[in-house]
Amino acid sequence: MSISTPGGPERRPTVVTTGKKPAAGRPAPGAKAGAGKSTGDAPRPAAGGKGKGPRKPIAPVKVSQGRSWGPIALFTAVGVLAVGIIGFGAWATFQGSKPWEDRAADISGIVNFRKTDPELVKGSNHQQGPIKYAQSPPVAGPHNATWQNCMGDVYDAPIANEHAVHSLEHGAVWITYRPDLPADQVATLKSKVAGQEKLMLSPYEGLDKPISLQAWGYQLKVDNADDSRIDEFIKTLRVNASIEGPTANCGQPGITATGTTPREGAQMPTQ
């Protein structure tokens, strides 16, 4: 075959063929015998397949990414927290169900005069004039017929033992402190007492500890106003320690005057 392009670029080339066109069904000259034979619809085996048919698909390889520790740690922490909350709730419920006397006994350092001196805590023994007490501050025993007002009263000067002890008989907690107690600690004590029924606060001369708490037949002495036992003492013994019942009066006709000498001829209460 030759190609002639006469007439320049505008003329299309003329294709001249030489020889004969192979007949249909015959191989082209130079082709190997049998090269064009039909073998039906079956595919030819791939190179290297040794004639065994099509190649099997290759399964994907799984790559391990390792264990994710973040969620595991989070769930573990949440579980521990939940167990702690449930455990604390069960413990608090158990503690709340205990008799108040048992809860009082659990307060470290508390002195229970109800056990050591049962005669001291009988109550209802009214006397006039100054009374000598074995404890300082006193926790029970004979007392004046008039109680000290104990409706969350904060006294900035000492009060008479004889009136204060009557307040204890009615279920009050009397908190006393050394007059030289730092002002910030006095403020802490005031915040616990002010406006709270059956609580009262006053300075007290001659304390052997900075702070002393009294309830009828109980006493606790501590060194610091931030001591958590103060709150435990109040929570456990306020009202509960009364030997005249929870309705015993702590307000008027009690007195609000300060001074360590008992007042005679004051209002005569009915209890």
Side-chain angles (χ1 to χ4, degrees), residues 19-96:
K20 293 182 179 180
K21 184 177 180 180
R26 294 183 180 181
K32 291 182 179 180
K37 277 187 176 182
S38 172
T39 57
D41 295 332
R44 294 183 179 183
K50 298 182 181 181
K52 293 183 179 180
R55 182 178 297 175
K56 295 181 179 180
I58 300 174
V61 178
K62 294 183 180 180
V63 179
S64 176
Q65 297 180 350
R67 184 172 293 177
S68 179
W69 291 104
I72 294 175
L74 176 61
F75 291 139
T76 301
V78 171
V80 171
L81 180 60
V83 170
I85 292 173
I86 294 171
F88 177 79
W91 176 85
T93 301
F94 170 72
Q95 287 295 103

Side-chain angles (χ1 to χ4, degrees), residues 177-190 225:
Y177 60 91
R178 285 177 180 168
D180 62 351
L181 188 71
D184 61 330
Q185 293 203 39
V186 175
T188 297
L189 295 177
K190 287 182 177 180

Side-chain angles (χ1 to χ4, degrees), residues 223-243:
D223 294 316
N224 193 286
D226 294 322
D227 194 311
S228 62
R229 292 176 295 169
I230 295 176
D231 292 335
E232 285 299 314
F233 189 96
I234 294 171
K235 179 181 178 181
T236 303
L237 295 170
R238 183 172 69 99
V239 181
N240 286 332
S242 171
I243 61 171

Side-chain angles (χ1 to χ4, degrees), residues 36-246:
K37 277 187 176 182
S38 172
T39 57
D41 295 332
R44 294 183 179 183
K50 298 182 181 181
K52 293 183 179 180
R55 182 178 297 175
K56 295 181 179 180
I58 300 174
V61 178
K62 294 183 180 180
V63 179
S64 176
Q65 297 180 350
R67 184 172 293 177
S68 179
W69 291 104
I72 294 175
L74 176 61
F75 291 139
T76 301
V78 171
V80 171
L81 180 60
V83 170
I85 292 173
I86 294 171
F88 177 79
W91 176 85
T93 301
F94 170 72
Q95 287 295 103
S97 65
K98 292 172 64 175
W100 68 266
E101 293 92 344
D102 292 345
R103 287 184 278 125
D106 290 339
I107 300 174
S108 176
I110 197 170
V111 180
N112 183 355
F113 291 96
R114 297 187 180 207
K115 286 187 175 181
T116 61
D117 193 353
E119 288 294 321
L120 178 67
V121 297
K122 284 185 176 180
S124 299
N125 186 359
H126 295 174
Q127 295 182 13
Q128 294 186 348
I131 300 172
K132 187 176 181 179
Y133 292 98
Q135 297 80 34
S136 181
V139 298
H143 47 270
N144 193 276
T146 305
W147 59 80
Q148 192 77 28
N149 213 67
C150 45
M151 298 292 288
D153 293 83
V154 173
Y155 298 100
D156 294 326
I159 59 178
N161 289 333
E162 294 80 4
H163 298 303
V165 171
H166 196 157
S167 301
L168 300 183
E169 187 184 47
H170 286 200
V173 168
W174 178 26
I175 303 178
T176 56
Y177 60 91
R178 285 177 180 168
D180 62 351
L181 188 71
D184 61 330
Q185 293 203 39
V186 175
T188 297
L189 295 177
K190 287 182 177 180
S191 70
K192 296 177 184 296
V193 171
Q196 301 298 315
E197 185 178 357
K198 297 202 174 181
L199 287 178
M200 60 184 182
L201 173 71
S202 70
Y204 198 95
E205 296 282 354
L207 287 179
D208 57 354
K209 285 278 189 176
I211 301 168
S212 182
L213 294 86
Q214 289 69 230
W216 185 260
Y218 290 94
Q219 190 169 64
L220 174 68
K221 296 183 178 182
V222 300
D223 294 316
N224 193 286
D226 294 322
D227 194 311
S228 62
R229 292 176 295 169
I230 295 176
D231 292 335
E232 285 299 314
F233 189 96
I234 294 171
K235 179 181 178 181
T236 303
L237 295 170
R238 183 172 69 99
V239 181
N240 286 332
S242 171
I243 61 171
E244 294 190 353

